[in-house]
Amino acid sequence: MQDPNEDTQWNDILRAKGIIPQKEEAEVTEDQIVDIVEQSVQQKANGGQKALEDMDLDELDLLEDEEDERVLEEYRQMRIAEMKRIQAKEIFGSVKEISAQDYVAEVNKAGDGVYVILHLYKQGIPLCSLINQYIASLAAKFPATKFLKSISTVCIPNYPDKNLPTVFVYYEGEMKTQWVGPLTFGGMNLTCDELEWKLSEVGAVTTKLEKKPEPQVRKTVSIFSSKSAAQDSDDSDDDY
């Protein structure tokens, strides 16, 4: 009698008509079970993906595209987080006028990681007016730094005019440095870049200036020296 499990065309016809039972599946060997388990463990270790050596070229191309997208997405998320951290600090951007009553809240309790620049001034003092112009510009340029100003005697009663202008630099509620009097600023020759550099030296701002600006007074002296030399030359010519 013909074996009903034999792979023949006739047996296939008989199976299709239900005359003989379907072919019995071959038993899975122990080695095959071990191979199946090992492949499953390997796929889980790869996040459900095949091992690289088992992938064809199309699968490898797809994996490369997915990896590129993942790396780009991770970088994008890092940049977003960085921008949010920066924006969280950049909460100022202008100069605020304060009085003695505001001093503790605005200066000593400005917050963690916050630099505070306080300018004591008085109306009618040209250098004070100049510095007020400069700190307005710098406040917009460095919004993470808190810029304040106050009329000297309003902030500190009986504060002497000879000490003006005065700039205090605070960090996390503690004074880091102070510049008192016109000579500490170089007088009316002070430039905005020079003031920015002074603030950067104490860490209050992060400047993009590559080197310390040359004091304006030196340029002025240089110009006068050139003019004087030219005049001396003219005078010498007149002697002949």
Side-chain angles (χ1 to χ4, degrees):
M1 182 177 178
Q2 186 175 352
D3 185 357
N5 288 320
E6 188 178 355
D7 285 328
T8 64
Q9 188 174 4
W10 175 247
N11 281 347
D12 289 340
I13 295 172
L14 294 178
R15 290 190 195 99
K17 294 183 176 295
I19 296 173
I20 63 175
Q22 296 294 324
K23 180 181 176 182
E24 295 179 2
E25 296 292 338
E27 293 184 359
V28 180
T29 66
E30 185 175 350
D31 289 341
Q32 289 174 320
I33 293 174
V34 172
D35 288 341
I36 292 171
V37 171
E38 287 181 347
Q39 289 178 8
S40 176
V41 170
Q42 182 64 33
Q43 286 187 12
K44 287 182 179 179
N46 294 333
Q49 295 178 343
K50 289 183 180 178
L52 293 178
E53 60 269 20
D54 296 331
M55 293 185 180
D56 58 29
L57 290 178
D58 290 338
E59 290 173 324
L60 288 171
D61 288 341
L62 180 61
L63 178 63
E64 184 178 3
D65 292 341
E66 290 175 349
E67 184 67 14
D68 288 343
E69 290 179 3
R70 183 187 65 79
V71 171
L72 288 173
E73 180 61 22
E74 286 183 358
Y75 178 75
R76 178 174 173 272
Q77 292 301 326
M78 287 172 59
R79 289 289 296 134
I80 290 174
E82 181 183 359
M83 291 172 65
K84 286 182 177 179
R85 285 195 298 271
I86 293 173
Q87 290 172 354
K89 293 182 179 179
E90 294 182 346
I91 57 176
F92 305 112
S94 61
V95 182
K96 183 176 181 180
E97 184 94 24
I98 67 167
S99 64
Q101 289 75 16
D102 306 317
Y103 200 98
V104 173
E106 296 290 345
V107 177
N108 300 107
K109 296 183 179 180
D112 295 337
V114 176
Y115 273 96
V116 178
I117 311 301
L118 173 60
H119 176 216
L120 299 183
Y121 73 99
K122 236 180 189 181
Q123 299 289 351
I125 299 178
L127 186 54
C128 288
S129 299
L130 187 65
I131 290 177
N132 274 338
Q133 292 177 24
Y134 290 164
I135 64 173
S137 176
L138 294 174
K141 188 175 182 179
F142 301 104
T145 301
K146 189 174 187 179
F147 285 84
L148 305 172
K149 65 180 180 179
S150 179
I151 295 175
S152 57
T153 50
V154 170
C155 189
I156 304 175
N158 302 317
Y159 194 78
D161 289 354
K162 67 178 181 179
N163 289 348
L164 301 179
T166 293
V167 170
F168 296 142
V169 179
Y170 281 79
Y171 180 68
E172 294 186 341
E174 294 185 4
M175 184 181 291
K176 303 296 291 184
T177 192
Q178 57 181 307
W179 299 300
V180 179
L183 294 180
T184 60
F185 298 97
M188 288 298 293
N189 290 306
L190 177 71
T191 66
C192 191
D193 283 350
E194 287 181 279
L195 183 57
E196 178 179 330
W197 187 267
K198 285 174 73 71
L199 295 175
S200 72
E201 288 184 313
V202 295
V205 301
T206 303
T207 184
K208 292 184 179 180
L209 297 173
E210 296 181 355
K211 62 180 181 178
K212 183 177 181 179
E214 182 181 350
Q216 187 67 35
V217 65
R218 292 182 186 173
K219 295 180 181 179
T220 304
V221 169
S222 177
I223 292 172
F224 283 138
S225 297
S226 299
K227 288 183 177 180
S228 177
Q231 288 175 355
D232 290 343
S233 178
D234 292 341
D235 292 342
S236 298
D237 292 340
D238 293 341
D239 292 339
Y240 291 98

